[in-house]
């Protein structure tokens, strides 16, 4: 038993307390949860209820000490448990026992297209959080990938709401088995970092319900998530952290969410709105959410003394604080006061194996002319080029920074496989990992590094290029969006020069985003790698050498040009928005831009399909070192009614000479509709592992829900009678089989 559990046990079972049978109901873990909550609530003073509603430190909120109800401890880190932060400032506490396992970024998890990996992820991260005595893990994120410039895309699960929804549920379920609450974020419409605290999003109800809410809805209704984090932005004029439409009407009203709503740090802006519109716990107010401090204390928070005064004066009803306290007590009883939860563990061999397996399955083989895999017996004189081959990519990035106990770099792992003949050239200088500022690197330095690597490339058997983005500001980093679509630090020039010096170049760029590839035709092989954490270098090396057969698929499209992206094609009104003036000066957020989501429901592949704009690499794309053949589908019926279903069975055969896994994707196309609909939409997927020559049957069930669109007039989901197609393929553009069917009422 650890210290905190011991102290809690002593508090609840101390000599001053009555015998177990005589104790208050709220202490009885066998009693129904809501009865315990009501019992505790009935014993609390008004001041104790209000105290629950706001922070007491950077990452904790109070319990009720008089009643033996413990505080809540939260931690950043959708990809690992963040290092300890000081009680009352943003400095690192410099503990020696808070190193952890860094798991792959959520873009990598989404790229596995495997809910089993999501369950493994949630279980493993939950165990590490439990060991570190965290009650709430501030993740996962399920905001939709709308533009490749969003600096925080790497924390999310791609451009498709169905994929994100299917992947988030197992993560939540397995994490919460550890007595650790998932806190799904950022609710909602937080799809850029530029002006994140003020931008007012103008989006149609149809796009809201079809694109931006489904993954959150799945998290609540299927995942039974215990907490939700509000987002920084505005929607319909109100900040999302106390937005009546989002929190009261949708989250509580339509989805029956029974957990606690927590602000993003600094996301609260108004006491009355926070009181009335469904916010429960206010964190980090009067900071910029990550680094800055203020002279305001925790009693100055909107849901602290100002709220208490409003309650006493009758300006807001007492029922509001009772509702908030209920939600918070429910969260505390599920987590901090749960004495039956497991003990947890961290940096174990099992967790390293989990991180490695998820990383292995996430790497996407975009292109291969036959050079991959690189046989270690054949290639001994190997040149590795690129800053990301040695950079610790768990540093930086804002709140996703992690303090790893161990870190396997790509260069280290490649040397372990290919031996002493491996040489390294940095190729370019990326500077230090910093937040909201950056190093300025002289062009003379970049030119010298480029020349050195090109010179060394001429004598190598093969060049493995490991560059891409990193966690610096204006790259994949919280609080700043990317400035441009091309790779930074002159990398495209470097790659072109390397190919001229040596045609055997394998590009394995690390990134949480799409990027421009003007060299795509001249490079024989390209791997798309996300941030893979502790074991990332080993996953990259094993895929390159062929020990692991790549099976990842893109969770977002990679357009040829930035202007091809739907959000970027309408100008500044659509991204990043147009500044209107005003602003909350006390919060330091600046002006209030307004932004219109003018691409509406046509996000990602929906845009490229409908507008007939070919992507460089489409959503769902990913190659293998073997080949898969899709047989003729067998269908249970060609007609479906409101209460019916159609079963589609598709045989898939491994036609190659090595074992591999294939993601079989199901899309639905409405052939004639009274409203605009995308050419197709993802409605199912299954990942199957096949030995050489083996055949397995993949089964899909098509239900009426898969045929529906959101009707704004009736505020309901509608399936129109008519003809549809089920499209089965290896990507959104590589359709192998088609099944026509009809929907009849």
């Amino acid at each position: 038993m650890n210290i905190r559990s011991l102290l809690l046990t002593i508090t609840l079972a101390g000599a001053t307390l009555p015998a177990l049978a005589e104790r208050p109901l709220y202490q009885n873990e066998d009693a129904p949860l809501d009865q315990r909550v009501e019992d505790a609530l009935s014993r609390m003073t008004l001041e104790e209820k209000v105290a629950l509603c706001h922070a007491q430190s950077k990452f904790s909120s109070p319990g009720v000490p008089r009643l033996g109800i413990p505080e809540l401890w939260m931690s950043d880190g959708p990809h690992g448990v963040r290092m300890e932060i000081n009680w009352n400032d943003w400095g690192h506490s410099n503990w020696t026992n808070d190193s952890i396992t860094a798991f792959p970024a959520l873009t990598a998890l989404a790229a596995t297209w495997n809910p089993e990996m999501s369950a493994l992820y949630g279980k493993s991260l939950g165990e590490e959080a439990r060991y570190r005595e965290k009650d709430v893990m501030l993740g996962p994120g399920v905001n939709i990938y709308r533009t490749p410039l969003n600096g925080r895309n790497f924390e999310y699960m791609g451009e498709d709401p169905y994929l994100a929804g299917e992947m988030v549920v197992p993560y939540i379920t397995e994490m919460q088995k550890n007595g650790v609450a998932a806190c799904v974020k950022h609710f909602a419409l937080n799809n850029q970092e530029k002006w994140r605290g003020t931008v007012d999003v103008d989006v149609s109800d149809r796009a809201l319900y079809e694109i931006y809410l489904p993954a959150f809805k799945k998290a609540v209704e299927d995942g039974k998530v215990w907490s939700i984090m509000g987002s920084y932005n505005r929607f319909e004029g109100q900040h999302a952290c106390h937005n009546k439409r989002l929190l009261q009407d949708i989250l509580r009203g339509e989805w029956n969410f029974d957990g606690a709503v927590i602000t993003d740090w600094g996301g609260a802006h108004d006491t009355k709105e926070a009181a009335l519109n469904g916010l429960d716990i206010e964190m980090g107010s009067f900071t910029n959410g990550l680094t800055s401090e203020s002279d305001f204390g925790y009693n100055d928070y909107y849901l602290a003394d100002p709220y208490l005064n409003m309650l006493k004066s009758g300006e807001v009803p007492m029922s509001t604080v009772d509702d908030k306290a209920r939600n918070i007590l429910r969260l505390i009883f599920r987590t901090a006061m749960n004495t039956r939860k497991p003990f947890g563990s961290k940096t174990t061999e099992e967790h390293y194996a989990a991180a490695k397996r998820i990383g292995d399955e996430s790497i996407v083989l975009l292109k291969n002319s036959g050079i991959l895999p690189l046989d270690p017996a054949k290639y001994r004189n190997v040149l590795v080029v690129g800053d990301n081959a040695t950079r610790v990519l768990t540093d930086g990035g804002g709140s996703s920074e992690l303090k790893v106990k161990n870190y396997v770099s790509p260069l280290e792992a490649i040397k372990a496989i290919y031996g002493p003949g491996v040489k390294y050239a940095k190729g370019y200088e990326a500077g230090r990992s910093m937040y909201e500022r950056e190093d300025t690197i002289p062009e003379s330095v970049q030119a010298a590094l480029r020349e050195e690597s090109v010179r060394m490339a001429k004598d190598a058997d093969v060049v493995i290029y490991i560059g891409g983005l990193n966690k610096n500001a204006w790259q994949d980093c919280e609080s700043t969006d990317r400035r441009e679509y091309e790779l930074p630090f002159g990398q495209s020039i470097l790659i072109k020069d390397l190919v001229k010096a040596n045609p055997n170049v394998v590009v394995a760029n690390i990134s949480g985003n799409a990027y421009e590839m003007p060299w795509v035709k001249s490079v024989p092989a390209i791997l798309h790698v996300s941030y893979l954490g502790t074991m990332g270098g080993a996953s990259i090396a094993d895929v390159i050498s062929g020990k692991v057969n790549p099976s990842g698929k893109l969770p977002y499209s990679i357009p040829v040009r930035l202007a091809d992206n739907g959000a970027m094609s309408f100008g500044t009104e659509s991204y990043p928005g147009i500044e209107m003036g005003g602003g909350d000066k006390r919060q330091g957020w600046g002006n209030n831009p307004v932004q219109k989501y003018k691409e509406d429901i046509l996000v990602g592949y929906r845009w490229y399909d409908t507008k007939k704009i070919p992507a460089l690499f489409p959503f769902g794309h990913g190659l293998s070192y073997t080949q898969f053949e899709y047989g003729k589908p067998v269908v249970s019926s060609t007609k479906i009614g409101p209460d019916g279903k159609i079963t589609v069975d598709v045989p898939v055969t491994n036609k190659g000479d090595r074992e591999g896994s294939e993601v079989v994707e199901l899309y639905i196309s409405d052939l004639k509709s009274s409203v605009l609909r995308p050419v197709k939409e993802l409605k199912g997927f299954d990942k199957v592992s096949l030995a050489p020559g083996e055949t397995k049957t993949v089964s899909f069930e098509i239900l009426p829900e898969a045929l529906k669109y959101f009707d704004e007039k009736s505020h309901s989901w509608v399936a129109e009678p008519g003809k549809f197609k089920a499209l089965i393929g290896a990507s959104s553009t590589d359709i192998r089989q088609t099944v026509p069917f009809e929907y009849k009422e």
Side-chain angles (χ1 to χ4, degrees):
M1 181 176 290
N2 51 47
I3 294 298
R4 181 172 166 186
S5 297
L6 180 61
L7 291 174
L8 177 58
T9 303
I10 292 171
T11 301
L12 296 179
T16 58
L17 293 178
L20 184 61
E22 301 171 356
R23 284 183 197 161
L25 181 61
Y26 72 88
Q27 295 178 5
N28 182 2
E29 292 184 76
D30 292 322
L33 179 61
D34 284 342
Q35 290 183 22
R36 297 176 65 202
V37 167
E38 292 304 319
D39 181 61
L41 189 66
S42 70
R43 301 169 187 272
M44 293 170 60
T45 66
L46 176 60
E47 287 76 13
E48 287 171 336
K49 293 174 186 177
V50 171
L52 290 179
C53 299
H54 63 84
Q56 65 175 4
S57 74
K58 282 290 181 247
F59 281 94
S60 70
S61 61
V64 189
R66 181 179 63 86
L67 299 178
I69 296 173
E71 59 204 5
L72 284 169
W73 278 93
M74 310 173 195
S75 179
D76 273 324
H79 317 129
V81 188
R82 194 180 184 186
M83 69 282 281
E84 293 299 325
I85 303 297
N86 290 337
W87 179 267
N88 199 36
D89 64 54
W90 289 105
H92 296 161
S93 299
N94 296 319
W95 289 14
T96 59
N97 62 349
D98 57 348
S99 298
I100 48 79
T101 307
F103 296 93
L106 293 189
T107 45
L109 178 60
T112 71
W113 287 63
N114 189 348
E116 290 183 9
M117 292 300 97
S118 191
L120 178 63
Y121 197 121
K123 174 182 182 294
S124 304
L125 180 54
E127 288 170 350
E128 298 228 346
R130 173 67 190 95
Y131 187 88
R132 287 274 306 279
E133 294 290 354
K134 304 305 178 186
D135 303 304
V136 181
M137 280 299 294
L138 303 173
V142 291
N143 293 99
I144 293 299
Y145 186 116
R146 179 176 178 254
T147 164
L149 296 189
N150 181 12
R152 221 164 175 181
N153 276 336
F154 71 98
E155 294 188 39
Y156 304 139
M157 296 193 190
E159 71 186 26
D160 184 78
Y162 181 85
L163 175 63
E166 291 298 304
M167 294 298 288
V168 76
V169 170
Y171 181 119
I172 295 166
T173 302
E174 292 301 315
M175 172 174 281
Q176 294 186 166
K177 286 179 181 178
N178 289 280
V180 175
C183 186
V184 174
K185 62 185 187 183
H186 301 89
F187 188 68
L189 301 165
N190 188 177
N191 305 308
Q192 67 190 61
E193 290 300 285
K194 185 176 177 64
W195 298 330
R196 65 178 182 171
T198 52
V199 67
D200 197 347
V201 175
D202 182 355
V203 62
S204 72
D205 269 12
R206 191 170 168 208
L208 181 69
Y209 277 84
E210 290 189 19
I211 304 297
Y212 298 105
L213 292 185
F216 288 104
K217 186 173 188 284
K218 288 280 286 187
V220 171
E221 295 187 339
D222 295 353
K224 308 298 181 185
V225 71
W226 294 340
S227 60
I228 290 277
M229 181 189 285
S231 59
Y232 282 128
N233 52 282
R234 299 171 188 259
F235 170 58
E236 296 182 344
Q238 283 186 333
H239 278 97
C241 283
H242 33 77
N243 186 289
K244 181 181 182 299
R245 177 101 190 275
L246 291 176
L247 302 184
Q248 296 287 67
D249 299 346
I250 296 173
L251 184 63
R252 302 283 186 197
E254 296 179 17
W255 302 347
N256 297 312
F257 176 61
D258 74 347
V261 175
I262 304 171
T263 65
D264 205 338
W265 270 231
H269 298 262
D270 183 271
T271 297
K272 194 166 187 177
E273 283 190 6
L276 297 175
N277 293 346
L279 175 63
D280 296 315
I281 302 177
E282 175 189 359
M283 301 296 295
S285 287
F286 315 122
T287 78
N288 70 354
L290 194 64
T291 57
S292 68
E293 305 300 329
S294 74
D295 293 330
F296 292 95
Y298 297 107
N299 285 342
D300 296 309
Y301 275 26
Y302 295 101
L303 286 182
D305 286 351
Y307 183 34
L308 180 62
N309 293 334
M310 279 190 174
L311 288 163
K312 288 181 175 179
S313 69
E315 190 173 350
V316 294
M318 285 290 178
S319 60
T320 63
V321 76
D322 287 339
D323 288 342
K324 296 179 196 304
R326 282 188 184 96
N327 297 331
I328 298 164
L329 287 170
R330 200 175 289 120
L331 178 60
I332 291 173
F333 290 163
R334 285 166 166 166
T335 59
M337 204 165 169
N338 175 7
T339 63
R340 297 172 179 175
K341 57 193 173 187
F343 290 110
S345 57
K346 74 179 182 77
T347 60
T348 63
E349 291 302 317
E350 290 79 8
H351 290 173
Y352 289 160
K356 174 67 162 57
R357 186 179 173 196
I358 295 164
D360 288 352
E361 288 204 26
S362 75
I363 294 176
V364 182
L365 179 59
L366 295 179
K367 176 185 177 181
N368 187 19
S369 65
I371 190 173
L372 289 178
L374 296 178
D375 184 352
K378 178 181 177 182
Y379 293 96
R380 309 302 294 178
N381 183 12
V382 176
L383 175 64
V384 177
V385 178
D387 182 74
N388 280 348
T390 59
R391 178 180 285 264
V392 178
L393 288 166
T394 55
D395 293 341
S399 59
S400 68
E401 64 172 353
L402 294 170
K403 180 179 175 182
V404 292
K405 182 179 179 181
N406 294 297
Y407 184 83
V408 180
S409 73
L411 179 60
E412 177 186 355
I414 290 168
K415 284 182 174 180
I417 291 175
Y418 293 93
V422 175
K423 297 180 178 62
Y424 174 66
K426 193 169 188 179
Y428 66 93
E429 175 58 57
R432 295 169 292 165
S433 292
M434 294 190 291
Y435 179 81
E436 291 189 326
R437 55 197 178 93
E438 59 189 339
D439 283 340
T440 300
I441 311 299
E443 177 53 33
S444 59
V445 173
Q446 302 288 26
L449 291 171
R450 187 162 56 243
E451 290 170 6
E452 177 193 34
S453 62
V454 170
R455 183 175 65 252
M456 294 173 68
K458 295 176 181 178
D459 300 323
D461 295 334
V462 64
V463 177
I464 300 174
Y465 184 83
I466 302 177
L469 304 179
N470 59 36
K471 300 291 192 67
N472 286 8
W474 291 283
Q475 295 192 57
D476 285 323
C477 184
E478 180 185 357
S479 87
T480 53
D481 281 347
R482 298 166 64 195
R483 295 190 182 108
E484 61 276 321
Y485 188 47
E486 61 265 29
L487 290 174
F489 316 118
Q491 289 183 74
S492 286
I493 297 172
L494 173 58
I495 293 171
K496 289 178 180 179
D497 288 349
L498 288 170
V499 174
K500 290 178 183 177
N502 188 330
N504 293 329
V505 176
V506 174
V507 172
N509 278 336
I510 299 171
S511 166
N513 260 307
Y515 53 86
E516 189 177 57
M517 302 184 194
W519 34 262
V520 64
K521 293 182 180 179
S522 62
V523 172
I526 305 171
L527 293 168
H528 191 63
V529 185
S530 190
Y531 303 103
L532 300 186
T534 291
M535 300 300 293
S539 290
I540 293 169
D542 283 351
V543 167
I544 288 173
S545 68
K547 183 178 180 180
V548 170
N549 192 349
S551 62
K553 300 270 188 169
L554 286 176
Y556 47 79
S557 310
I558 299 180
V560 177
R561 304 174 306 147
L562 183 61
D564 292 345
N565 170 266
M568 305 305 299
S569 65
F570 291 100
T572 56
E573 187 178 16
S574 182
Y575 175 87
I578 298 174
E579 290 186 88
M580 306 299 288
D584 186 340
K585 300 302 182 184
R586 184 169 68 155
Q587 287 287 88
W589 288 117
N591 294 327
N592 299 329
V594 174
Q595 176 184 42
K596 294 184 178 181
Y597 282 18
K598 302 193 75 170
E599 75 280 14
D600 201 51
I601 61 168
L602 300 180
V603 176
Y605 66 91
R606 292 166 169 81
W607 173 265
Y608 301 111
D609 283 352
T610 306
K611 299 299 181 180
K612 296 181 171 57
I613 302 172
L616 181 63
F617 294 106
F619 174 79
H621 171 74
L623 305 176
S624 171
Y625 294 151
T626 188
Q627 299 81 42
F628 300 99
E629 180 179 88
Y630 290 52
K632 185 177 180 180
V634 176
V635 298
S636 60
S637 175
T638 57
K639 296 180 181 179
I640 183 175
D643 299 319
K645 68 178 180 180
I646 294 175
T647 302
V648 181
D649 295 331
V650 185
V652 180
T653 303
N654 183 346
K655 303 295 287 187
D657 58 1
R658 66 171 65 209
E659 183 178 0
S661 295
E662 171 72 332
V663 178
V664 183
E665 303 165 29
L666 170 71
Y667 297 85
I668 298 294
S669 178
D670 187 348
L671 300 186
K672 186 177 181 181
S673 175
S674 64
V675 298
L676 172 68
R677 301 205 69 176
V679 171
K680 57 180 171 293
E681 295 182 279
L682 182 72
K683 295 297 179 181
F685 60 90
D686 192 13
K687 193 167 192 174
V688 290
S689 180
L690 299 168
E694 184 180 11
T695 299
K696 287 183 180 177
T697 298
V698 175
S699 295
F700 294 110
E701 280 190 353
I702 301 175
L703 301 173
E705 285 69 27
L707 315 180
K708 295 179 179 180
Y709 66 89
F710 186 80
D711 180 61
E712 294 180 333
K713 293 181 180 179
S714 64
H715 196 78
S716 64
W717 291 88
V718 174
E720 293 181 331
K723 295 181 179 180
F724 291 79
K725 281 185 179 180
L727 309 171
I728 301 153
S731 81
S732 60
T733 61
D734 184 7
I735 302 301
R736 306 288 183 88
Q737 298 290 348
T738 302
V739 176
F741 65 94
E742 188 174 0
Y743 176 71
K744 287 192 171 184
E745 291 184 344

